[in-house]
Amino acid sequence: MTVEHRRGAAGLALIATFMVAVDGTIVNLTLAQLATHLHASRAELEWAVNAYTLSFAAVMLGAGAITDTLGAKRAFVAGLVVFTASSAVCAVATSMLMLNLARLTQGAGAALLLPSALVLATASAADEPSRHRLVSWWAAAGGVGMAAGPLLGGTLVALANWRAVFAVNVIIGIPAVVWSLLSMPSVVRRSRRLDVGGMGTATVLIGGLVFALIEAPALGWHPAVITAAALTVAGLVGFVSVERSIREPLLPPGVYTDRGFAVTAVQGALFSFAFYGVLFALSLMLQQGRGLSALATGLLFLPLTGLISLGSLCSAPLAQRFGRPAALSVGQALLAITLLVLAWAGTSSALWPLVLALLPAGFSSGLLVPTMTSQSIAAVEPALHGAASAAFNTSRQIGGAIGVAVFGSLLGTTHSFTAGFVTCVIVASAATTISLFLTALGTVNTGLEQSLANREPSGLVRTCNV
């Protein structure tokens, strides 16, 4: 394969990663129009965000195995076709049910794209330094996409309407499918059995949990909610049973039994709970509560999203100089305090306090995500890095889905958006504080373990040495 083909393949992988990340946040700026044009209820608006997150989380857990089984190129093309086709259905949707079912399919396509894009990007590298550089670019493309989503969504809604947010994926996706078929390199497949049982039970577990959380506030003890709760329990029992009995499970025991990884996965879920929950609440508060346009709302998100990119760039140097626990502690403490300031700013009639509060919130968020990702991988042996990365990203997606569900119910009605928003942000600050406590606890435990390891086995030996 020529140098031009390798560069083209890497570029396409980065574009796909950007698109996947954008669609995780861009829909927040369509919520006000969806409520008007498609007469969406609060629960239906939550599903517009969470349907994507739900299938993303469920399929992501096995996406690495799917990529190994199908081959990276086949998985990438399949994911891109599913993502593009479901985006087209979203763009022409005539009801919220149609839109949310398409979003569910779109998330599955996105989950297939991410790991296969990384494999294809690195496979196209000519040498080891290029490979490391492409991995960094791949991660940066996701971060920039997540940050660009709100502003891009506000701009598209202002220039056209909510349908343009999904139509742009089709405009990019169709030539990308053709390009990938012509230029993407084939990567040698690894022999690996697909854990269909694990994927199925994980989907039931995650889907039941998110459905129950979203619908319970409006429906109460409705048979649908009770059924979803029962499916959650059944999915959990089934998943544990399948994973213990299969030779190549989605979650190898070395991942979920590692205390360091488990703590980091919980912290990733808590961060996404706070971040995506606040993003959802802030979008509705600004558009439905204060009557701002989608473009104005997208511009107000710019301090948050712009500083996310800056924080991401600073995370690696800070973690290398001061250590990951120190970088995590600083980021979590700054975010927890900033969220309290954001709660106060939300009560002001002026917008400038809100803008100022979003600056440190964005920087600390950008600092945390790559640091936690590195921490999750460092906690396990190299052979488990792929599974650990998939599990960590799944925990983040689940946390984000729960955050949108919980904050949607806490936000209140149009007449009480301000009070509801303050409640949401205080809850987000509390979740971040818990994450900070876990970091501090882990640092103390690590220090004690090192102290015990360095201690002499006998006090007599120490006395003699003195």
Side-chain angles (χ1 to χ4, degrees), residues 201-252:
T201 51
T203 302
V204 172
L205 166 62
I206 297 170
L209 176 64
V210 175
F211 182 91
L213 286 171
I214 291 179
E215 298 295 340
L219 299 179
W221 291 105
H222 189 275
V225 176
I226 296 174
T227 301
L231 286 174
T232 301
V233 175
L236 176 60
V237 173
F239 182 75
V240 172
S241 176
V242 169
E243 294 302 282
R244 285 182 173 179
S245 62
I246 197 169
R247 178 177 296 179
E248 294 183 328
L250 292 180
L251 279 181

mmCIF file of all heavy atoms in Angstrom, residues 201-252:
data_model
loop_
_atom_site.group_PDB
_atom_site.id
_atom_site.type_symbol
_atom_site.label_atom_id
_atom_site.label_comp_id
_atom_site.label_asym_id
_atom_site.label_seq_id
_atom_site.Cartn_x
_atom_site.Cartn_y
_atom_site.Cartn_z
ATOM 1 N N THR A 201 -26.549 -10.559 27.179
ATOM 2 C CA THR A 201 -26.933 -10.298 28.570
ATOM 3 C C THR A 201 -26.524 -8.893 29.003
ATOM 4 O O THR A 201 -27.239 -8.244 29.779
ATOM 5 C CB THR A 201 -26.303 -11.340 29.508
ATOM 6 O OG1 THR A 201 -24.888 -11.428 29.261
ATOM 7 C CG2 THR A 201 -26.927 -12.707 29.304
ATOM 8 N N ALA A 202 -25.387 -8.385 28.489
ATOM 9 C CA ALA A 202 -24.971 -7.015 28.813
ATOM 10 C C ALA A 202 -25.959 -6.006 28.244
ATOM 11 O O ALA A 202 -26.290 -5.004 28.889
ATOM 12 C CB ALA A 202 -23.571 -6.739 28.261
ATOM 13 N N THR A 203 -26.461 -6.283 27.040
ATOM 14 C CA THR A 203 -27.449 -5.392 26.430
ATOM 15 C C THR A 203 -28.736 -5.363 27.243
ATOM 16 O O THR A 203 -29.325 -4.296 27.477
ATOM 17 C CB THR A 203 -27.752 -5.843 24.988
ATOM 18 O OG1 THR A 203 -26.535 -5.840 24.232
ATOM 19 C CG2 THR A 203 -28.757 -4.914 24.331
ATOM 20 N N VAL A 204 -29.178 -6.539 27.696
ATOM 21 C CA VAL A 204 -30.384 -6.605 28.524
ATOM 22 C C VAL A 204 -30.176 -5.863 29.834
ATOM 23 O O VAL A 204 -31.043 -5.101 30.293
ATOM 24 C CB VAL A 204 -30.766 -8.078 28.798
ATOM 25 C CG1 VAL A 204 -31.902 -8.162 29.810
ATOM 26 C CG2 VAL A 204 -31.178 -8.769 27.502
ATOM 27 N N LEU A 205 -29.014 -6.055 30.442
ATOM 28 C CA LEU A 205 -28.688 -5.397 31.710
ATOM 29 C C LEU A 205 -28.689 -3.880 31.568
ATOM 30 O O LEU A 205 -29.376 -3.162 32.320
ATOM 31 C CB LEU A 205 -27.325 -5.886 32.201
ATOM 32 C CG LEU A 205 -26.642 -5.103 33.326
ATOM 33 C CD1 LEU A 205 -27.479 -5.124 34.587
ATOM 34 C CD2 LEU A 205 -25.241 -5.658 33.584
ATOM 35 N N ILE A 206 -27.936 -3.374 30.599
ATOM 36 C CA ILE A 206 -27.809 -1.927 30.420
ATOM 37 C C ILE A 206 -29.127 -1.316 29.948
ATOM 38 O O ILE A 206 -29.563 -0.269 30.442
ATOM 39 C CB ILE A 206 -26.667 -1.615 29.432
ATOM 40 C CG1 ILE A 206 -25.337 -2.101 29.996
ATOM 41 C CG2 ILE A 206 -26.596 -0.114 29.151
ATOM 42 C CD1 ILE A 206 -24.195 -2.062 28.990
ATOM 43 N N GLY A 207 -29.788 -1.981 29.003
ATOM 44 C CA GLY A 207 -31.049 -1.452 28.488
ATOM 45 C C GLY A 207 -32.127 -1.402 29.553
ATOM 46 O O GLY A 207 -32.851 -0.400 29.671
ATOM 47 N N GLY A 208 -32.258 -2.453 30.344
ATOM 48 C CA GLY A 208 -33.258 -2.464 31.408
ATOM 49 C C GLY A 208 -33.006 -1.392 32.441
ATOM 50 O O GLY A 208 -33.935 -0.711 32.902
ATOM 51 N N LEU A 209 -31.727 -1.212 32.802
ATOM 52 C CA LEU A 209 -31.370 -0.212 33.809
ATOM 53 C C LEU A 209 -31.705 1.197 33.344
ATOM 54 O O LEU A 209 -32.350 1.980 34.057
ATOM 55 C CB LEU A 209 -29.874 -0.326 34.133
ATOM 56 C CG LEU A 209 -29.301 0.705 35.103
ATOM 57 C CD1 LEU A 209 -29.933 0.563 36.473
ATOM 58 C CD2 LEU A 209 -27.782 0.578 35.186
ATOM 59 N N VAL A 210 -31.278 1.546 32.121
ATOM 60 C CA VAL A 210 -31.498 2.903 31.608
ATOM 61 C C VAL A 210 -32.987 3.160 31.391
ATOM 62 O O VAL A 210 -33.505 4.241 31.714
ATOM 63 C CB VAL A 210 -30.700 3.121 30.308
ATOM 64 C CG1 VAL A 210 -31.028 4.475 29.700
ATOM 65 C CG2 VAL A 210 -29.210 3.015 30.575
ATOM 66 N N PHE A 211 -33.714 2.176 30.850
ATOM 67 C CA PHE A 211 -35.154 2.352 30.624
ATOM 68 C C PHE A 211 -35.877 2.613 31.942
ATOM 69 O O PHE A 211 -36.724 3.521 32.034
ATOM 70 C CB PHE A 211 -35.736 1.113 29.946
ATOM 71 C CG PHE A 211 -37.210 1.230 29.631
ATOM 72 C CD1 PHE A 211 -37.621 1.735 28.409
ATOM 73 C CD2 PHE A 211 -38.170 0.867 30.565
ATOM 74 C CE1 PHE A 211 -38.982 1.859 28.118
ATOM 75 C CE2 PHE A 211 -39.522 0.988 30.283
ATOM 76 C CZ PHE A 211 -39.929 1.484 29.063
ATOM 77 N N ALA A 212 -35.567 1.838 32.965
ATOM 78 C CA ALA A 212 -36.226 2.006 34.257
ATOM 79 C C ALA A 212 -35.937 3.383 34.841
ATOM 80 O O ALA A 212 -36.830 4.045 35.388
ATOM 81 C CB ALA A 212 -35.769 0.914 35.225
ATOM 82 N N LEU A 213 -34.688 3.859 34.713
ATOM 83 C CA LEU A 213 -34.323 5.161 35.276
ATOM 84 C C LEU A 213 -35.021 6.309 34.549
ATOM 85 O O LEU A 213 -35.417 7.303 35.167
ATOM 86 C CB LEU A 213 -32.804 5.343 35.223
ATOM 87 C CG LEU A 213 -31.995 4.537 36.240
ATOM 88 C CD1 LEU A 213 -30.510 4.629 35.932
ATOM 89 C CD2 LEU A 213 -32.268 5.016 37.651
ATOM 90 N N ILE A 214 -35.170 6.178 33.234
ATOM 91 C CA ILE A 214 -35.788 7.259 32.468
ATOM 92 C C ILE A 214 -37.294 7.296 32.667
ATOM 93 O O ILE A 214 -37.903 8.364 32.849
ATOM 94 C CB ILE A 214 -35.447 7.114 30.964
ATOM 95 C CG1 ILE A 214 -33.968 7.397 30.721
ATOM 96 C CG2 ILE A 214 -36.289 8.066 30.119
ATOM 97 C CD1 ILE A 214 -33.541 7.252 29.285
ATOM 98 N N GLU A 215 -37.931 6.144 32.646
ATOM 99 C CA GLU A 215 -39.387 6.097 32.670
ATOM 100 C C GLU A 215 -39.990 6.102 34.077
ATOM 101 O O GLU A 215 -41.153 6.493 34.245
ATOM 102 C CB GLU A 215 -39.872 4.849 31.911
ATOM 103 C CG GLU A 215 -39.485 4.820 30.446
ATOM 104 C CD GLU A 215 -40.142 5.931 29.642
ATOM 105 O OE1 GLU A 215 -41.162 6.484 30.104
ATOM 106 O OE2 GLU A 215 -39.634 6.253 28.552
ATOM 107 N N ALA A 216 -39.226 5.679 35.087
ATOM 108 C CA ALA A 216 -39.788 5.574 36.440
ATOM 109 C C ALA A 216 -40.326 6.893 36.985
ATOM 110 O O ALA A 216 -41.411 6.910 37.588
ATOM 111 C CB ALA A 216 -38.743 4.992 37.392
ATOM 112 N N PRO A 217 -39.629 8.048 36.807
ATOM 113 C CA PRO A 217 -40.179 9.300 37.354
ATOM 114 C C PRO A 217 -41.554 9.664 36.793
ATOM 115 O O PRO A 217 -42.398 10.212 37.512
ATOM 116 C CB PRO A 217 -39.121 10.343 36.947
ATOM 117 C CG PRO A 217 -37.866 9.573 36.808
ATOM 118 C CD PRO A 217 -38.284 8.255 36.236
ATOM 119 N N ALA A 218 -41.795 9.344 35.520
ATOM 120 C CA ALA A 218 -43.082 9.703 34.904
ATOM 121 C C ALA A 218 -44.139 8.620 35.090
ATOM 122 O O ALA A 218 -45.318 8.916 35.298
ATOM 123 C CB ALA A 218 -42.881 9.970 33.410
ATOM 124 N N LEU A 219 -43.726 7.355 35.049
ATOM 125 C CA LEU A 219 -44.689 6.260 35.083
ATOM 126 C C LEU A 219 -44.892 5.658 36.470
ATOM 127 O O LEU A 219 -45.907 5.007 36.719
ATOM 128 C CB LEU A 219 -44.245 5.146 34.114
ATOM 129 C CG LEU A 219 -44.124 5.522 32.633
ATOM 130 C CD1 LEU A 219 -43.665 4.325 31.815
ATOM 131 C CD2 LEU A 219 -45.453 6.050 32.101
ATOM 132 N N GLY A 220 -43.898 5.847 37.358
ATOM 133 C CA GLY A 220 -43.998 5.227 38.681
ATOM 134 C C GLY A 220 -43.862 3.716 38.567
ATOM 135 O O GLY A 220 -43.108 3.200 37.731
ATOM 136 N N TRP A 221 -44.625 2.997 39.410
ATOM 137 C CA TRP A 221 -44.553 1.535 39.392
ATOM 138 C C TRP A 221 -45.434 0.967 38.273
ATOM 139 O O TRP A 221 -46.329 0.163 38.501
ATOM 140 C CB TRP A 221 -44.953 0.967 40.742
ATOM 141 C CG TRP A 221 -43.952 1.255 41.803
ATOM 142 C CD1 TRP A 221 -44.045 2.163 42.813
ATOM 143 C CD2 TRP A 221 -42.671 0.642 41.940
ATOM 144 N NE1 TRP A 221 -42.901 2.164 43.569
ATOM 145 C CE2 TRP A 221 -42.033 1.234 43.060
ATOM 146 C CE3 TRP A 221 -41.978 -0.350 41.236
ATOM 147 C CZ2 TRP A 221 -40.768 0.868 43.492
ATOM 148 C CZ3 TRP A 221 -40.712 -0.716 41.667
ATOM 149 C CH2 TRP A 221 -40.127 -0.114 42.771
ATOM 150 N N HIS A 222 -45.133 1.386 37.070
ATOM 151 C CA HIS A 222 -45.834 0.905 35.879
ATOM 152 C C HIS A 222 -45.297 -0.486 35.512
ATOM 153 O O HIS A 222 -44.124 -0.792 35.766
ATOM 154 C CB HIS A 222 -45.606 1.891 34.732
ATOM 155 C CG HIS A 222 -46.437 1.635 33.525
ATOM 156 N ND1 HIS A 222 -46.067 0.747 32.542
ATOM 157 C CD2 HIS A 222 -47.623 2.154 33.126
ATOM 158 C CE1 HIS A 222 -46.985 0.729 31.588
ATOM 159 N NE2 HIS A 222 -47.932 1.573 31.911
ATOM 160 N N PRO A 223 -46.152 -1.354 34.937
ATOM 161 C CA PRO A 223 -45.658 -2.678 34.534
ATOM 162 C C PRO A 223 -44.422 -2.629 33.648
ATOM 163 O O PRO A 223 -43.544 -3.496 33.757
ATOM 164 C CB PRO A 223 -46.855 -3.264 33.772
ATOM 165 C CG PRO A 223 -48.045 -2.620 34.398
ATOM 166 C CD PRO A 223 -47.610 -1.224 34.749
ATOM 167 N N ALA A 224 -44.304 -1.598 32.788
ATOM 168 C CA ALA A 224 -43.130 -1.484 31.919
ATOM 169 C C ALA A 224 -41.871 -1.237 32.740
ATOM 170 O O ALA A 224 -40.797 -1.792 32.453
ATOM 171 C CB ALA A 224 -43.331 -0.358 30.912
ATOM 172 N N VAL A 225 -41.986 -0.412 33.781
ATOM 173 C CA VAL A 225 -40.835 -0.116 34.646
ATOM 174 C C VAL A 225 -40.457 -1.348 35.463
ATOM 175 O O VAL A 225 -39.269 -1.673 35.614
ATOM 176 C CB VAL A 225 -41.150 1.074 35.572
ATOM 177 C CG1 VAL A 225 -39.996 1.319 36.542
ATOM 178 C CG2 VAL A 225 -41.432 2.330 34.750
ATOM 179 N N ILE A 226 -41.454 -2.036 35.984
ATOM 180 C CA ILE A 226 -41.189 -3.251 36.759
ATOM 181 C C ILE A 226 -40.529 -4.311 35.883
ATOM 182 O O ILE A 226 -39.582 -4.993 36.299
ATOM 183 C CB ILE A 226 -42.506 -3.786 37.373
ATOM 184 C CG1 ILE A 226 -43.073 -2.773 38.365
ATOM 185 C CG2 ILE A 226 -42.274 -5.127 38.057
ATOM 186 C CD1 ILE A 226 -44.439 -3.149 38.911
ATOM 187 N N THR A 227 -41.014 -4.434 34.656
ATOM 188 C CA THR A 227 -40.413 -5.394 33.718
ATOM 189 C C THR A 227 -38.966 -5.035 33.423
ATOM 190 O O THR A 227 -38.090 -5.908 33.372
ATOM 191 C CB THR A 227 -41.219 -5.424 32.403
ATOM 192 O OG1 THR A 227 -42.565 -5.786 32.683
ATOM 193 C CG2 THR A 227 -40.620 -6.413 31.427
ATOM 194 N N ALA A 228 -38.696 -3.730 33.218
ATOM 195 C CA ALA A 228 -37.334 -3.283 32.948
ATOM 196 C C ALA A 228 -36.420 -3.584 34.134
ATOM 197 O O ALA A 228 -35.270 -4.014 33.961
ATOM 198 C CB ALA A 228 -37.321 -1.790 32.632
ATOM 199 N N ALA A 229 -36.917 -3.359 35.354
ATOM 200 C CA ALA A 229 -36.122 -3.651 36.543
ATOM 201 C C ALA A 229 -35.827 -5.148 36.645
ATOM 202 O O ALA A 229 -34.705 -5.558 36.989
ATOM 203 C CB ALA A 229 -36.859 -3.169 37.793
ATOM 204 N N ALA A 230 -36.836 -5.967 36.335
ATOM 205 C CA ALA A 230 -36.632 -7.420 36.360
ATOM 206 C C ALA A 230 -35.617 -7.851 35.305
ATOM 207 O O ALA A 230 -34.764 -8.719 35.551
ATOM 208 C CB ALA A 230 -37.963 -8.129 36.135
ATOM 209 N N LEU A 231 -35.683 -7.236 34.128
ATOM 210 C CA LEU A 231 -34.713 -7.549 33.074
ATOM 211 C C LEU A 231 -33.298 -7.131 33.484
ATOM 212 O O LEU A 231 -32.320 -7.802 33.124
ATOM 213 C CB LEU A 231 -35.113 -6.841 31.778
ATOM 214 C CG LEU A 231 -36.314 -7.420 31.028
ATOM 215 C CD1 LEU A 231 -36.674 -6.533 29.840
ATOM 216 C CD2 LEU A 231 -36.012 -8.838 30.549
ATOM 217 N N THR A 232 -33.196 -6.027 34.217
ATOM 218 C CA THR A 232 -31.884 -5.590 34.701
ATOM 219 C C THR A 232 -31.262 -6.647 35.603
ATOM 220 O O THR A 232 -30.085 -7.005 35.446
ATOM 221 C CB THR A 232 -32.020 -4.262 35.473
ATOM 222 O OG1 THR A 232 -32.584 -3.270 34.617
ATOM 223 C CG2 THR A 232 -30.668 -3.791 35.971
ATOM 224 N N VAL A 233 -32.048 -7.152 36.542
ATOM 225 C CA VAL A 233 -31.552 -8.180 37.458
ATOM 226 C C VAL A 233 -31.212 -9.460 36.689
ATOM 227 O O VAL A 233 -30.153 -10.075 36.892
ATOM 228 C CB VAL A 233 -32.594 -8.470 38.555
ATOM 229 C CG1 VAL A 233 -32.123 -9.627 39.447
ATOM 230 C CG2 VAL A 233 -32.845 -7.221 39.390
ATOM 231 N N ALA A 234 -32.121 -9.858 35.777
ATOM 232 C CA ALA A 234 -31.882 -11.070 34.990
ATOM 233 C C ALA A 234 -30.637 -10.917 34.112
ATOM 234 O O ALA A 234 -29.837 -11.860 33.972
ATOM 235 C CB ALA A 234 -33.105 -11.375 34.121
ATOM 236 N N GLY A 235 -30.464 -9.727 33.536
ATOM 237 C CA GLY A 235 -29.284 -9.480 32.716
ATOM 238 C C GLY A 235 -28.004 -9.553 33.513
ATOM 239 O O GLY A 235 -26.991 -10.094 33.051
ATOM 240 N N LEU A 236 -28.027 -9.008 34.740
ATOM 241 C CA LEU A 236 -26.845 -9.057 35.599
ATOM 242 C C LEU A 236 -26.485 -10.491 35.959
ATOM 243 O O LEU A 236 -25.315 -10.898 35.848
ATOM 244 C CB LEU A 236 -27.097 -8.238 36.863
ATOM 245 C CG LEU A 236 -25.981 -8.252 37.925
ATOM 246 C CD1 LEU A 236 -24.692 -7.696 37.343
ATOM 247 C CD2 LEU A 236 -26.411 -7.456 39.159
ATOM 248 N N VAL A 237 -27.492 -11.267 36.380
ATOM 249 C CA VAL A 237 -27.248 -12.666 36.743
ATOM 250 C C VAL A 237 -26.744 -13.451 35.528
ATOM 251 O O VAL A 237 -25.777 -14.229 35.616
ATOM 252 C CB VAL A 237 -28.536 -13.304 37.303
ATOM 253 C CG1 VAL A 237 -28.336 -14.805 37.530
ATOM 254 C CG2 VAL A 237 -28.943 -12.629 38.606
ATOM 255 N N GLY A 238 -27.389 -13.233 34.379
ATOM 256 C CA GLY A 238 -26.990 -13.933 33.174
ATOM 257 C C GLY A 238 -25.586 -13.560 32.725
ATOM 258 O O GLY A 238 -24.800 -14.426 32.317
ATOM 259 N N PHE A 239 -25.250 -12.268 32.820
ATOM 260 C CA PHE A 239 -23.926 -11.816 32.401
ATOM 261 C C PHE A 239 -22.837 -12.443 33.262
ATOM 262 O O PHE A 239 -21.832 -12.940 32.745
ATOM 263 C CB PHE A 239 -23.860 -10.292 32.480
ATOM 264 C CG PHE A 239 -22.544 -9.714 32.016
ATOM 265 C CD1 PHE A 239 -22.233 -9.657 30.666
ATOM 266 C CD2 PHE A 239 -21.614 -9.233 32.925
ATOM 267 C CE1 PHE A 239 -21.030 -9.136 30.232
ATOM 268 C CE2 PHE A 239 -20.411 -8.712 32.502
ATOM 269 C CZ PHE A 239 -20.116 -8.657 31.153
ATOM 270 N N VAL A 240 -23.030 -12.425 34.578
ATOM 271 C CA VAL A 240 -22.037 -13.012 35.479
ATOM 272 C C VAL A 240 -21.887 -14.502 35.205
ATOM 273 O O VAL A 240 -20.766 -15.044 35.153
ATOM 274 C CB VAL A 240 -22.441 -12.768 36.955
ATOM 275 C CG1 VAL A 240 -21.525 -13.548 37.888
ATOM 276 C CG2 VAL A 240 -22.398 -11.287 37.277
ATOM 277 N N SER A 241 -23.005 -15.184 34.986
ATOM 278 C CA SER A 241 -22.965 -16.626 34.720
ATOM 279 C C SER A 241 -22.233 -16.935 33.422
ATOM 280 O O SER A 241 -21.374 -17.837 33.370
ATOM 281 C CB SER A 241 -24.402 -17.167 34.666
ATOM 282 O OG SER A 241 -24.408 -18.533 34.325
ATOM 283 N N VAL A 242 -22.552 -16.187 32.365
ATOM 284 C CA VAL A 242 -21.912 -16.426 31.071
ATOM 285 C C VAL A 242 -20.420 -16.132 31.139
ATOM 286 O O VAL A 242 -19.592 -16.907 30.632
ATOM 287 C CB VAL A 242 -22.581 -15.558 29.975
ATOM 288 C CG1 VAL A 242 -21.760 -15.582 28.686
ATOM 289 C CG2 VAL A 242 -23.991 -16.054 29.702
ATOM 290 N N GLU A 243 -20.062 -15.012 31.767
ATOM 291 C CA GLU A 243 -18.654 -14.616 31.808
ATOM 292 C C GLU A 243 -17.801 -15.604 32.589
ATOM 293 O O GLU A 243 -16.609 -15.761 32.326
ATOM 294 C CB GLU A 243 -18.529 -13.216 32.425
ATOM 295 C CG GLU A 243 -19.153 -12.117 31.582
ATOM 296 C CD GLU A 243 -18.550 -12.049 30.189
ATOM 297 O OE1 GLU A 243 -17.451 -11.508 30.035
ATOM 298 O OE2 GLU A 243 -19.193 -12.549 29.234
ATOM 299 N N ARG A 244 -18.390 -16.264 33.567
ATOM 300 C CA ARG A 244 -17.635 -17.243 34.356
ATOM 301 C C ARG A 244 -17.440 -18.568 33.624
ATOM 302 O O ARG A 244 -16.512 -19.315 33.937
ATOM 303 C CB ARG A 244 -18.349 -17.498 35.683
ATOM 304 C CG ARG A 244 -18.205 -16.368 36.694
ATOM 305 C CD ARG A 244 -18.896 -16.718 37.997
ATOM 306 N NE ARG A 244 -18.644 -15.721 39.030
ATOM 307 C CZ ARG A 244 -19.138 -15.778 40.266
ATOM 308 N NH1 ARG A 244 -19.925 -16.800 40.615
ATOM 309 N NH2 ARG A 244 -18.863 -14.839 41.144
ATOM 310 N N SER A 245 -18.301 -18.843 32.657
ATOM 311 C CA SER A 245 -18.275 -20.153 32.017
ATOM 312 C C SER A 245 -17.583 -20.161 30.656
ATOM 313 O O SER A 245 -17.245 -21.223 30.139
ATOM 314 C CB SER A 245 -19.714 -20.679 31.845
ATOM 315 O OG SER A 245 -20.472 -19.812 31.008
ATOM 316 N N ILE A 246 -17.361 -18.987 30.071
ATOM 317 C CA ILE A 246 -16.805 -18.934 28.723
ATOM 318 C C ILE A 246 -15.295 -18.784 28.769
ATOM 319 O O ILE A 246 -14.726 -18.220 29.718
ATOM 320 C CB ILE A 246 -17.448 -17.772 27.922
ATOM 321 C CG1 ILE A 246 -17.213 -17.947 26.431
ATOM 322 C CG2 ILE A 246 -16.923 -16.418 28.406
ATOM 323 C CD1 ILE A 246 -18.036 -17.001 25.574
ATOM 324 N N ARG A 247 -14.628 -19.315 27.749
ATOM 325 C CA ARG A 247 -13.166 -19.300 27.719
ATOM 326 C C ARG A 247 -12.617 -17.897 27.433
ATOM 327 O O ARG A 247 -11.609 -17.497 28.003
ATOM 328 C CB ARG A 247 -12.661 -20.276 26.659
ATOM 329 C CG ARG A 247 -11.137 -20.307 26.519
ATOM 330 C CD ARG A 247 -10.698 -21.346 25.512
ATOM 331 N NE ARG A 247 -11.053 -22.694 25.957
ATOM 332 C CZ ARG A 247 -10.792 -23.794 25.244
ATOM 333 N NH1 ARG A 247 -10.197 -23.695 24.053
ATOM 334 N NH2 ARG A 247 -11.141 -24.976 25.708
ATOM 335 N N GLU A 248 -13.253 -17.159 26.542
ATOM 336 C CA GLU A 248 -12.793 -15.808 26.187
ATOM 337 C C GLU A 248 -13.905 -14.806 26.474
ATOM 338 O O GLU A 248 -14.616 -14.366 25.568
ATOM 339 C CB GLU A 248 -12.385 -15.752 24.709
ATOM 340 C CG GLU A 248 -11.167 -16.593 24.383
ATOM 341 C CD GLU A 248 -10.755 -16.458 22.920
ATOM 342 O OE1 GLU A 248 -11.641 -16.259 22.065
ATOM 343 O OE2 GLU A 248 -9.552 -16.531 22.643
ATOM 344 N N PRO A 249 -14.081 -14.423 27.747
ATOM 345 C CA PRO A 249 -15.171 -13.519 28.116
ATOM 346 C C PRO A 249 -14.915 -12.084 27.677
ATOM 347 O O PRO A 249 -13.766 -11.693 27.420
ATOM 348 C CB PRO A 249 -15.204 -13.623 29.639
ATOM 349 C CG PRO A 249 -13.793 -13.951 30.009
ATOM 350 C CD PRO A 249 -13.276 -14.827 28.900
ATOM 351 N N LEU A 250 -16.002 -11.314 27.586
ATOM 352 C CA LEU A 250 -15.859 -9.892 27.277
ATOM 353 C C LEU A 250 -15.041 -9.191 28.352
ATOM 354 O O LEU A 250 -14.234 -8.303 28.062
ATOM 355 C CB LEU A 250 -17.242 -9.230 27.179
ATOM 356 C CG LEU A 250 -18.133 -9.625 26.005
ATOM 357 C CD1 LEU A 250 -19.448 -8.874 26.083
ATOM 358 C CD2 LEU A 250 -17.447 -9.338 24.683
ATOM 359 N N LEU A 251 -15.278 -9.557 29.590
ATOM 360 C CA LEU A 251 -14.547 -8.986 30.722
ATOM 361 C C LEU A 251 -13.702 -10.067 31.382
ATOM 362 O O LEU A 251 -14.204 -10.832 32.213
ATOM 363 C CB LEU A 251 -15.518 -8.383 31.747
ATOM 364 C CG LEU A 251 -16.064 -6.987 31.472
ATOM 365 C CD1 LEU A 251 -16.974 -6.557 32.609
ATOM 366 C CD2 LEU A 251 -14.945 -5.984 31.284
ATOM 367 N N PRO A 252 -12.438 -10.183 31.032
ATOM 368 C CA PRO A 252 -11.577 -11.167 31.691
ATOM 369 C C PRO A 252 -11.502 -10.889 33.190
ATOM 370 O O PRO A 252 -11.568 -9.735 33.621
ATOM 371 C CB PRO A 252 -10.213 -10.941 31.024
ATOM 372 C CG PRO A 252 -10.522 -10.282 29.724
ATOM 373 C CD PRO A 252 -11.737 -9.442 29.977
#
